[in-house]
Amino acid sequence: MAKIYALALVMFFKILVAASAGNFNQDFDITWGDGRAKILNNAQLLTLALDKTSGSGFKSRNQYLFGKIDMQIKLVPGNSAGTVTSYYLSSLGSAHDEIDFEFLGNLSGDPYTLHTNVFTQGKGNREQQFYLWFDPTKDFHTYSILWNPQSIIFSVDGTPIREFKNLESRGIPFPKNQAMWIYSSLWNADDWATRGGLVKTDWSKAPFTASYRNFNAQACIWSSGSSSCSSSPSGSSKEAWFTQSLDATGKGRMKWVQKNYMIYDYCKDTKRFPQGVPLECTVAT
């Protein structure tokens, strides 16, 4: 009887926690682009397009307050210089929180730059940038954000590349009170995206197209001022992602990525921060 009751509690929690699996009509609204964004293949595929007139974008129907968010993306192939494909979580307002993946295009044969950032209470300037260890235009790859009360972990194909820990005990804000939507867009940023704006978008290659599939959210939905997770029965166990952290293997894989593929780290940019790098860069964890 106890086993049946425990199983019922777990199943109840799983119903309360969103577990979407890639129906773009159910999970997202196309928000801009005047027909350049398309939902295809029985809502299993979404494409964004960019031409000289406009880019395009979409937004989740749900807001989330903590979760594990996965999306498979195939980036703009060929000469993608000047284009940016963004995929991020964000709340609204001048004191918003935000968790960013941005993919900065490049000339054919040159690597994409994967740009990450974390905003807390409207303050960002926490950029880390990476090259990828594969060609992200040849096939779909999974880009994940794990956001729980302990940390934010960015991963690519299951390999962690960055961790932003909750260091509120040291006076460093952490995103935990503002529910966020998921956004994605494909847009022209040739004033800065490729080599600081030196390489412009080649519009003869337009339209540029990025593709999305296999969205999955194990997450707490925020609605009408409350979280779906907080209404779970007393004593029920939250799913693993809610307390997940990097183990020794995960930390080792992240160090490998950062050693071999990180090309910019705000924590090491003393020219940008002549008065000292941000506090979280100096806290040993």
Side-chain angles (χ1 to χ4, degrees), residues 185-200:
S185 59
L186 174 57
W187 50 291
N188 178 48
D190 66 4
D191 57 332
W192 65 270
T194 305
R195 300 182 189 175
L198 294 176
V199 181
K200 300 301 182 183

Side-chain angles (χ1 to χ4, degrees), residues 127-147:
E127 300 91 344
Q128 289 183 350
Q129 295 182 338
F130 306 82
Y131 288 147
L132 294 166
W133 49 96
F134 53 84
D135 183 343
T137 73
K138 296 296 186 184
D139 204 350
F140 287 89
H141 292 270
T142 303
Y143 302 93
S144 305
I145 295 169
L146 172 64
W147 169 38

